C-alpha cells in the first residue's frame, strides 16, 4: 500500500543530491532496514556499526545486497574515542582502526565517521589530536579510504564545528575532512553560517536531524529526541544552504534517533524520512541561490497548489451515532440538503460548512461511535495536489464510483483518514453526486464555514501526521505546544496554509501511565466559523443544541486576568463561551457536548488577525467539562415510558464471563452500556472465578476502570443460599459490592424448605440494607424456587423493604410464569431485568434447559420468547441487563465483540429511537 501507484523516487530522480538514510534511524535487523530504505526511494545508506555486528550477513553479502537494491554505502559509523589518546593506548587504537578499514573495504564503503572523543583518558591537546588524526588519515588513504571527523555536541574537548575544523585544518591531510551533523551544531547554539568557512572539498559527509528545543543532557537529547527535518525547531534549510554553498557535493543523509522511530515499522519510518527530505529540498530550492537550487532540485515534485478552504468533513456513523449527530447538526443550523446517488451518505450544509454522514459499515469504527473518516480541501489544481501527494509517497486510495459520478483524487493520511482534493463547480462537480432532498439552507446562516479540523493521534503517529499535512498539502506547521489537561499533558500542533484557509490541528498524549484516563478514545472535533459567537450560541441553544456548560470559575478567572467589559463577560458566562486574545485580535469559541462517544463540534469567531486556537488553559476547561457532562449523562434517568428513548443497558457478566472485571468494564464502555453486573462468586466448578471480595489488586484495578470510564456497577452476583449456607458468610461479598458502588444483589434459593429459605432471604436483606443494597430474587426453573409464584411467596413472607424480584426472560418463559400475574405485582419489587431471547419451545430435559440457559441464549428478537410482552408488564424505565451467554458466537468473535453485538441487537429490537431512526429517517 505504501508505494502502490507511485513513481519510484529513485528512477524519477534525474537531478539533485543523492539522498541517504542512516540505518540507525530504523528498527529491525539490517535486512529490514535496507529493504525499507530502498522501498522509500533512497539511493544511499549509512551503515551503523551495531547493525552490522548483529547481522548474520557478511560485509561482502551486505555490499551485494545494497548493490542489488540500488543503495550506495556512503558512510560506516561510528568510530569512537580515537584522537588525543595517551601514547600508551595509541597503537591499540590504530589496530582497532585497521580492523574497521577491513570492514569498509569489504562493504565497498569509502568513508569512516570518527567522532570526537568522550574518553576520560583523553588529553586536552589539539596538537596531539591533529597528529593522531593525520596518522589515521594516512593509513586510510593507503587503502583508498577517507576519515570524516565529527565534533559531538557532548564531546569531551571538541564539541563544535569550529573546533573540529581547527583540528582537521591543523592535521592537514587530504584524506581527513569533516562530517557535519546539524544536531551537533544547533544543539550547541552555533550559527550555521560558520559552515561557509569550511571548503566544500573538506566536507566529506552531511547528516541532517531536527529536534525540539530542550534543556537537557546533550547525549540524552540526541539519542531520544532527534526528529526528521521539519518536525522540530532547527533551521535545516539554512544549514543545508550554507553547506551546499561551500561546494559540498556529497549526499544529503538523514540521521535520526528517537524512541518512536526505533520501534515503529521501518517501512513507515523510511517513508517519513524521504518525505521530510524531499520537503526540505523544496524549501532550500525556493530560498537558496541559483547554484544551491540546482543541487537540491527534487525531480518531479509539483509545487503545492493554492488551497481555498475546507470543502467537507466526512463522519463515519451508524444507526446509533448517526441520529445523535444529525440531531446536533440540526440544532446548530445545518440542513440535510442531499443524498448520495449510490452510497448511504448524507450531505448537511450551512453556509460554506459541509458535513457528510456516511452510514456505510465501518470495520475500524466501534458501534455507536462517530469518527472523522475523511476531509476534503479546495485545491486550485486537484490533479496537481494528487501528483504531489503521490510523489511524497502518500498512498493513493482506490475509489469505487458510478460512471456519472465525480472522479475525486484522494490519498490516505498516516492514521488512515482519507484526504480529498476538490474543485467545487465546473464540469466534474462533486456536489452533483448528491440528489437534493428539497430542503433549503436557512437564510440567516448561523455558521459560515469550517475553521479547522482537530484530530487526536497516537504518540507514535503525532510527528508523522504533522509531517504528512505539512509536506503533502504544503501547510506551514506551528511548533508543538504543551497543554495542561486533567488527565495528563497534551501535545498540540497546528498546520495551515499561508492564507489560513485550511487549518488542521493535531493532538496527542505524549505519555500514559496506567489505566486512569478519560473514556474518550482519540477525541476529534470540527470547528465552524461564525460572525457572532454570542448571537449564534443563543440561537443554537434555542434550537436545542447540546452546548457544553463551562463552570463559573473559568469566567471569574477570566475577569481577574483580562478585565473584560462587563456586558461581554456576562454574555459569555450565560452562553458558556470561552475567550482568548493576543496582539492581533480576539477569539470567542464554544463547544457542543460529546456526540457518538468521541466527536464534538466547536463554533469560533475570529476577530482581527487572531490566528491561534484558544488559550492553553481552555483545553483543560473543555476536557473537564466534557468529562463532567458525560458522567452526568450516564446517571440521568431514561425518558418516560411511551416516549422515544433508548433504555439503559447493563452488561451482565455471564454474557462475557471470560473477561475479568476490569476487562468487562472496558468492553461495556466501548460498546455503549451504562452499567455492568459483576459475577463475584463461582456458580459452577468449571467457570472462571473473579474473586473481587478477596483480591485487593483486582478490586483496585476494577475501581480504576469504573472511575475512568464512568461505567457503574448495577448488580453483583450470586448470593446462592442452599440448605447448608449461612447468609452471614456473604457479608464480605456484600461489602465488596458496596465498595464497587453496586445497587443490587442477585440471589437464588435452591432450598426445598420454604420457611428456612424465606428466613434466610430476610436475613440476607437485613445484611444488605445498611450497605445500600437491594436483594433481588431470581427464579431459575430448575431450582426449588422455580417460578414467579414461589418468588412472590418468599417476598411476602420476608416483608423487607429492600427485597425484590429479578425477572430473567428465559427463566420466566421456561417456568411458565404468567404475564398477567406479573403485571399485578407491586412495581417497586422490580428494579432491573435480565433480557435475552430463546426458542419458543423449551428443551426436552432439565439438563438441556440448564445448558441452554448457560451457553445458548439468543439476542432479543431472534427467538420465540414474548420479550415485549414480559418487559411491558414491568415498570417503565428500569435498566435492561443483557444476560446472553452464547458460547459458540463468543468462540468465533471474542467476548468483547459479542458484548457489542448484544447491545446492538437489543437496541434494534427494543429501543424506539433505534427502530425508527435509520439513515433515511435520521434527518
Amino acid at each position: 500500500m505504501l508505494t502502490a501507484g507511485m513513481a519510484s523516487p529513485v528512477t524519477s530522480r534525474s537531478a539533485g543530491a543523492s539522498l541517504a538514510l542512516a540505518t540507525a534511524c530504523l528498527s529491525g535487523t539490517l535486512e529490514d532496514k535496507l529493504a525499507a530504505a530502498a522501498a522509500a526511494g533512497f539511493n544511499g545508506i549509512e551503515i551503523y556499526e551495531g547493525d552490522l555486528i548483529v547481522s548474520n550477513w557478511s560485509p561482502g553479502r551486505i555490499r551485494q545486497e545494497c548493490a542489488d537494491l540500488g543503495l550506495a554505502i556512503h558512510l560506516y559509523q561510528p568510530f569512537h574515542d580515537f584522537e588525543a589518546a595517551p601514547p600508551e593506548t595509541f597503537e591499540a587504537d590504530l589496530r582497532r582502526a585497521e580492523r574497521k578499514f577491513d570492514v569498509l573495504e569489504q562493504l565497498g564503503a569509502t568513508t569512516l565517521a570518527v567522532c570526537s572523543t568522550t574518553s576520560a583518558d583523553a588529553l586536552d591537546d589539539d596538537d596531539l589530536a591533529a597528529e593522531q588524526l593525520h596518522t589515521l588519515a594516512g593509513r586510510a588513504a593507503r587503502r583508498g579510504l577517507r576519515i570524516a571527523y565529527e565534533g559531538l555536541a557532548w564531546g569531551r574537548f571538541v564539541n563544535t564545528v569550529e573546533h573540529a575544523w581547527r583540528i582537521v585544518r591543523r592535521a592537514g591531510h587530504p584524506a581527513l575532512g569533516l562530517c557535519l551533523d546539524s544536531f551537533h551544531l544547533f544543539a550547541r547554539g552555533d550559527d550555521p553560517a560558520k559552515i561557509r568557512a569550511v571548503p566544500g572539498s573538506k566536507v566529506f559527509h552531511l547528516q541532517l536531524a531536527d529536534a525540539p528545543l530542550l534543556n537537557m543532557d546533550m547525549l540524552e537529547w540526541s539519542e531520544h529526541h532527534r526528529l526528521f527535518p521539519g518536525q522540530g525547531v532547527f533551521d535545516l534549510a539554512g544549514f543545508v544552504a550554507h553547506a551546499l554553498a561551500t561546494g559540498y557535493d556529497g549526499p544529503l543523509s538523514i540521521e535520526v534517533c528517537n524512541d518512536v522511530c526505533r520501534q515503529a515499522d521501518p517501512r513507515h519510518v523510511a517513508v517519513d524520512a524521504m518525505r521530510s527530505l524531499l520537503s526540505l529540498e523544496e524549501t532550500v530550492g525556493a530560498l537558496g541561490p541559483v547554484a544551491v537550487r540546482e543541487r537540491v532540485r527534487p525531480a518531479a515534485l509539483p509545487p503545492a497548489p493554492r488551497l481555498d478552504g475546507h470543502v467537507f468533513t466526512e463522519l463515519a456513523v451508524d444507526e446509533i451515532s448517526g441520529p445523535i449527530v444529525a440531531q446536533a447538526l440540526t440544532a446548530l443550523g445545518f440542513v440535510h440538503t442531499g443524498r448520495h446517488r449510490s452510497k448511504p451518505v448524507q450531505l448537511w450544509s450551512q453556509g460554506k460548512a459541509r458535513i457528510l454522514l456516511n452510514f456505510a459499515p465501518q470495520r475500524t469504527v466501534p458501534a455507536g461511535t462517530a469518527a472523522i473518516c475523511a476531509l476534503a480541501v479546495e485545491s486550485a489544481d486537484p490533479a496537481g495536489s494528487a501528483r504531489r501527494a503521490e510523489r511524497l509517497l502518500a498512498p493513493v486510495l482506490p475509489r469505487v464510483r458510478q460512471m456519472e459520478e465525480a472522479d475525486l483524487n484522494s490519498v490516505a493520511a498516516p492514521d488512515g483518514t482519507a484526504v480529498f482534493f476538490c474543485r467545487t463547480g465546473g464540469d466534474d462537480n462533486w456536489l452533483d453526486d448528491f440528489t437534493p432532498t428539497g430542503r433549503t439552507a436557512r437564510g440567516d446562516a448561523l455558521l459560515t464555514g469550517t475553521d479547522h479540523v482537530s484530530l487526536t493521534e497516537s504518540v507514535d503517529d503525532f510527528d508523522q501526521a504533522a509531517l504528512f499535512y505539512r509536506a503533502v498539502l504544503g501547510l506551514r506547521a506551528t511548533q508543538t505546544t504543551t497543554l495542561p489537561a486533567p488527565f495528563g499533558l497534551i501535545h498540540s500542533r497546528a498546520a495551515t496554509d499561508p492564507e489560513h484557509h485550511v487549518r488542521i490541528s493535531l493532538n496527542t498524549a505524549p505519555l500514559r501511565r496506567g489505566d486512569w484516563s478519560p473514556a474518550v478514545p482519540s477525541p476529534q472535533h470540527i470547528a465552524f466559523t461564525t460572525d457572532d459567537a454570542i448571537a449564534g450560541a443563543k440561537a443554537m441553544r434555542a434550537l436545542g443544541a447540546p452546548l457544553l456548560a463551562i463552570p463559573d470559575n473559568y469566567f471569574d478567572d477570566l475577569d481577574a486576568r483580562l478585565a473584560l467589559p462587563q456586558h461581554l463577560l456576562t454574555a459569555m458566562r450565560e452562553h458558556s463561551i470561552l475567550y482568548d486574545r493576543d496582539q492581533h485580535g480576539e477569539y470567542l469559541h464554544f463547544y457542543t457536548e460529546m456526540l457518538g462517544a468521541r466527536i464534538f463540534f466547536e463554533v469560533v469567531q475570529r476577530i482581527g488577525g487572531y490566528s491561534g486556537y484558544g488559550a492553553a488553559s481552555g483545553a483543560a476547561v473543555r476536557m473537564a467539562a466534557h468529562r463532567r457532562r458525560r458522567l452526568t449523562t450516564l446517571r440521568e434517568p431514561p425518558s418516560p415510558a411511551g416516549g422515544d428513548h433508548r433504555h439503559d443497558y447493563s452488561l451482565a457478566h455471564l454474557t462475557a464471563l471470560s473477561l475479568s472485571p476490569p476487562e468487562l468494564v472496558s468492553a461495556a464502555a466501548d460498546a455503549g452500556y451504562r452499567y455492568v453486573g459483576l459475577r463475584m462468586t463461582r456458580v459452577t466448578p468449571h467457570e472462571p472465578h473473579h474473586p473481587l471480595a478477596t483480591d485487593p489488586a483486582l478490586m483496585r484495578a476494577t475501581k480504576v476502570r469504573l472511575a475512568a470510564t464512568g461505567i457503574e456497577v448495577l448488580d453483583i452476583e450470586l448470593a446462592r443460599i442452599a440448605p447448608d449456607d449461612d447468609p452471614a458468610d456473604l457479608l464480605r461479598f456484600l461489602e465488596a459490592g458496596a465498595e464497587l458502588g453496586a445497587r443490587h444483589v442477585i440471589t437464588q434459593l435452591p432450598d426445598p424448605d420454604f420457611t428456612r429459605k424465606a428466613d434466610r432471604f430476610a436475613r440476607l436483606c437485613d445484611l444488605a440494607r445498611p450497605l445500600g443494597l437491594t436483594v433481588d430474587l431470581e427464579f431459575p426453573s430448575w431450582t426449588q424456587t422455580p417460578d414467579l409464584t414461589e418468588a412472590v411467596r418468599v417476598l411476602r413472607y420476608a416483608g423487607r423493604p429492600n427485597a425484590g424480584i429479578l425477572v430473567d426472560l428465559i427463566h420466566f418463559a421456561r417456568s411458565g410464569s404468567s404475564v398477567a400475574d406479573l403485571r399485578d405485582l407491586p412495581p417497586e419489587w422490580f428494579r432491573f431485568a435480565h433480557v435475552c431471547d430463546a426458542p419458543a419451545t423449551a428443551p426436552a430435559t432439565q439438563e438441556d434447559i440448564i445448558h441452554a440457559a448457560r451457553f445458548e441464549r439468543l439476542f432479543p428478537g431472534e427467538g420465540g420468547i414474548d420479550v415485549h410482552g414480559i418487559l411491558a408488564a414491568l415498570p417503565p424505565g428500569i435498566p435492561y441487563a443483557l444476560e446472553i451467554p452464547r458460547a459458540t458466537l463468543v468462540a468465533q468473535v471474542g467476548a468483547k465483540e459479542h458484548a457489542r453485538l448484544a447491545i446492538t441487537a437489543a437496541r434494534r429490537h427494543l429501543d424506539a429511537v433505534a427502530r425508527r431512526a435509520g439513515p433515511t429517517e435520521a434527518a
Side-chain angles (χ1 to χ4, degrees):
M1 181 178 177
L2 287 172
T3 56
M6 299 179 185
S8 167
V10 175
T11 57
S12 65
R13 189 176 182 82
S14 58
S18 173
L19 303 184
L21 181 66
T23 61
C25 299
L26 306 175
S27 67
T29 64
L30 187 58
E31 300 93 303
D32 300 322
K33 299 181 180 195
L34 297 180
F42 286 96
N43 51 24
I45 200 81
E46 295 180 20
I47 299 289
Y48 173 62
E49 182 178 60
D51 290 324
L52 183 141
I53 290 173
V54 303
S55 176
N56 64 351
W57 285 353
S58 68
R61 170 74 182 277
I62 294 170
R63 177 179 185 171
Q64 185 59 53
E65 293 290 340
C66 285
D68 292 345
L69 291 170
L71 295 171
I73 303 176
H74 292 297
L75 189 76
Y76 183 73
Q77 58 105 359
F79 190 71
H80 284 300
D81 297 332
F82 177 82
E83 87 284 10
E88 61 269 20
T89 64
F90 186 55
E91 285 302 320
D93 290 334
L94 285 175
R95 179 186 177 281
R96 180 166 56 97
E98 291 286 359
R99 298 290 76 76
K100 298 306 175 184
F101 292 162
D102 294 342
V103 173
L104 262 73
E105 287 181 332
Q106 296 173 58
L107 286 171
T110 59
T111 305
L112 174 68
V114 175
C115 302
S116 61
T117 186
T118 61
S119 172
D121 297 327
L123 304 174
D124 187 5
D125 186 335
D126 283 5
D127 289 333
L128 178 61
E131 178 185 340
Q132 292 178 346
L133 284 171
H134 184 278
T135 301
L136 181 67
R139 294 201 178 194
R142 288 198 292 270
R143 297 191 182 211
L145 306 176
R146 304 189 305 174
I147 302 300
Y149 183 54
E150 179 179 15
L152 300 179
W154 56 91
R156 186 170 181 205
F157 303 119
V158 180
N159 53 31
T160 66
V161 171
E162 285 182 291
H163 197 170
W165 170 232
R166 285 201 306 270
I167 292 176
V168 169
R169 187 170 51 187
R170 188 172 301 179
H173 197 289
L176 179 64
L178 288 179
C179 174
L180 297 181
D181 185 317
S182 61
F183 177 86
H184 299 312
L185 182 140
F186 287 112
R188 303 295 306 187
D190 286 349
D191 183 355
K194 294 179 180 179
I195 296 172
R196 290 177 178 264
V198 183
S201 61
K202 300 301 284 185
V203 180
F204 285 2
H205 196 72
L206 197 67
Q207 292 178 324
L208 304 175
D210 212 335
L213 192 59
L214 300 172
N215 183 19
M216 65 186 305
D217 176 80
M218 293 284 185
L219 179 57
E220 288 290 311
W221 188 6
S222 177
E223 289 186 338
H224 297 282
H225 299 284
R226 285 186 179 229
L227 300 172
F228 292 124
Q231 293 181 332
V233 300
F234 295 164
D235 179 18
L236 290 190
F239 176 84
V240 172
H242 289 306
L244 296 181
T246 68
Y248 172 73
D249 61 358
L252 302 181
S253 186
I254 296 281
E255 189 191 40
V256 164
C257 299
N258 61 63
D259 298 336
V260 172
C261 289
R262 293 306 301 269
Q263 298 182 57
D265 188 326
R267 297 169 299 173
H268 299 163
V269 175
V271 165
D272 281 350
M274 175 56 74
R275 189 175 286 152
S276 72
L277 205 45
L278 292 175
S279 181
L280 175 62
E281 283 193 303
E282 181 181 49
T283 302
V284 175
L287 301 176
V290 175
V292 170
R293 290 201 298 268
E294 290 298 319
R295 283 278 293 119
V296 298
R297 181 185 300 166
L301 179 61
R306 187 187 74 255
L307 301 180
D308 294 324
H310 294 268
V311 178
F312 63 77
T313 307
E314 184 172 344
L315 302 181
V317 297
D318 61 13
E319 62 179 11
I320 300 168
S321 61
I324 297 172
V325 176
Q327 185 177 14
L329 288 172
T330 300
L332 293 179
F334 280 85
V335 174
H336 178 198
T337 56
R339 296 187 183 90
H340 198 277
R341 300 179 186 275
S342 62
K343 301 180 178 71
V345 178
Q346 301 174 355
L347 170 62
W348 291 73
S349 305
Q350 182 176 188
K352 293 184 178 180
R354 302 183 188 93
I355 297 294
L356 302 186
L357 299 186
N358 188 339
F359 284 86
Q362 303 282 337
R363 289 184 298 173
T364 59
V365 179
T369 300
I372 294 173
C373 61
L375 55 90
V377 295
E378 191 85 16
S379 171
D381 179 7
S385 291
R387 286 194 299 271
R388 176 183 176 84
E390 188 174 359
R391 179 67 183 86
L392 288 167
L393 308 181
V396 177
L397 292 176
R399 185 167 178 270
V400 179
R401 65 184 183 91
Q402 301 296 325
M403 287 294 295
E404 67 277 7
E405 293 174 358
D407 185 11
L408 298 181
N409 298 290
S410 63
V411 296
D415 64 358
T417 301
V419 179
F420 287 89
F421 304 106
C422 302
R423 193 65 184 163
T424 305
D427 297 332
D428 198 22
N429 188 358
W430 68 273
L431 285 171
D432 294 338
D433 294 348
F434 289 83
T435 302
T437 61
R439 304 172 188 175
T440 57
R442 50 186 297 154
D444 57 337
L446 303 176
L447 304 175
T448 57
T450 298
D451 183 84
H452 65 271
V453 175
S454 180
L455 305 172
T456 298
E457 306 287 345
S458 71
V459 66
D460 292 349
D461 294 337
F462 178 68
D463 289 321
Q464 182 185 30
L467 172 62
F468 171 88
Y469 288 110
R470 181 180 64 82
V472 172
L473 272 63
L475 305 182
R476 297 175 179 175
T478 64
Q479 294 306 316
T480 298
T481 58
T482 300
L483 308 176
F487 302 96
L489 297 178
I490 299 295
H491 284 181
S492 184
R493 191 173 193 182
T496 183
D497 66 296
E499 287 77 33
H500 302 293
H501 293 151
V502 172
R503 293 182 173 96
I504 297 172
S505 174
L506 303 172
N507 307 280
T508 192
L511 187 65
R512 182 69 71 200
R513 286 288 183 262
D515 294 328
W516 170 241
S517 61
V520 181
S522 302
Q524 305 170 327
H525 80 267
I526 305 164
F528 304 113
T529 55
T530 183
D531 293 331
D532 189 334
I534 294 174
K538 182 178 181 179
M540 292 172 190
R541 195 177 296 279
L543 290 171
L547 302 186
L548 185 66
I550 301 300
D552 283 340
N553 291 340
Y554 167 80
F555 298 101
D556 293 342
D557 176 71
L558 197 65
D559 185 26
R561 289 188 294 109
L562 301 182
L564 295 173
Q566 197 58 43
H567 71 279
L568 176 61
L569 186 68
T570 300
M572 291 193 301
R573 186 190 299 266
E574 178 183 357
H575 298 295
S576 289
I577 298 172
L578 286 78
Y579 177 88
D580 190 32
R581 71 185 182 195
D582 60 17
Q583 65 271 31
H584 304 295
E586 299 172 282
Y587 188 70
L588 283 73
H589 57 128
F590 58 91
Y591 301 95
T592 69
E593 298 171 1
M594 202 69 69
L595 310 167
R598 62 184 293 204
I599 282 287
F600 60 96
F601 299 127
E602 180 184 11
V603 176
V604 310
Q605 179 186 3
R606 296 182 182 272
I607 301 173
Y610 184 95
S611 60
Y613 298 84
S617 60
V621 172
R622 186 261 303 163
M623 289 178 68
H626 270 141
R627 169 74 170 168
R628 184 168 50 251
R629 180 55 188 155
R630 187 170 64 256
L631 294 180
T632 300
T633 301
L634 284 171
R635 294 174 172 84
E636 286 178 345
S639 305
D644 287 349
H645 69 280
R646 291 168 55 192
H647 296 90
D648 284 335
Y649 288 95
S650 177
L651 176 57
H653 212 154
L654 190 59
T655 302
L657 195 53
S658 62
L659 299 180
S660 68
E663 292 171 335
L664 187 78
V665 172
S666 295
D670 291 343
Y673 292 85
R674 177 177 174 181
Y675 305 106
V676 292
L678 296 176
R679 196 169 181 121
M680 295 168 51
T681 60
R682 179 181 276 128
V683 178
T684 65
H686 305 295
E687 69 181 38
H689 181 39
H690 308 294
L692 279 162
T694 56
D695 186 338
L698 183 61
M699 172 65 78
R700 182 170 58 252
T702 304
K703 291 168 68 176
V704 165
R705 292 311 301 150
L706 290 168
T709 59
I711 295 292
E712 298 176 66
V713 178
L714 181 67
D715 63 90
I716 58 172
E717 61 171 337
L718 179 66
R720 198 166 184 263
I721 305 177
D724 297 329
D725 292 327
D726 184 349
D729 294 338
L730 293 167
L731 182 58
R732 181 66 194 108
F733 162 80
L734 298 175
E735 291 172 340
E739 184 177 350
L740 290 164
R743 305 179 182 192
H744 315 297
V745 179
I746 300 175
T747 187
Q748 293 177 4
L749 301 175
D751 186 345
D753 187 318
F754 176 81
T755 302
R756 182 173 58 205
K757 71 182 177 185
D759 285 338
R760 290 178 175 178
F761 177 78
R763 288 173 58 197
L764 183 64
C765 291
D766 293 340
L767 290 171
R769 188 178 180 189
L771 299 173
L773 297 167
T774 70
V775 180
D776 299 87
L777 178 57
E778 189 177 32
F779 47 93
S781 62
W782 59 85
T783 69
Q784 285 77 17
T785 309
D787 54 28
L788 180 65
T789 301
E790 182 72 359
V792 169
R793 286 184 64 211
V794 171
L795 252 70
R796 295 195 187 281
Y797 179 94
R800 297 301 194 266
N802 62 327
I805 293 177
L806 171 62
V807 171
D808 183 310
L809 268 60
I810 195 170
H811 299 327
F812 190 94
R814 297 297 181 246
S815 68
S817 296
S818 165
V819 171
D821 292 344
L822 179 64
R823 192 178 295 115
D824 292 337
L825 295 174
E828 61 269 19
W829 282 4
F830 304 96
R831 301 177 176 95
F832 67 109
H834 271 175
V835 175
C836 65
D837 209 336
T841 303
T845 68
Q846 180 171 292
E847 181 180 357
D848 289 340
I849 289 175
I850 295 174
H851 179 84
R854 289 178 175 168
F855 300 108
E856 296 178 352
R857 301 193 194 191
L858 302 176
F859 295 148
E862 293 183 346
I865 292 178
D866 182 14
V867 173
H868 287 294
I870 298 171
L871 294 178
L874 293 171
I878 63 172
Y880 291 167
L882 302 184
E883 186 171 73
I884 314 175
R886 202 165 179 177
T888 301
L889 183 59
V890 170
Q892 292 172 343
V893 303
K896 290 185 178 181
E897 176 64 9
H898 175 234
R900 186 192 70 78
L901 294 173
I903 193 171
T904 301
R907 282 171 170 160
R908 185 181 299 114
H909 190 66
L910 301 176
D911 290 356
V913 169
R915 283 202 307 272
R916 288 198 293 270
T920 303
E921 293 82 357

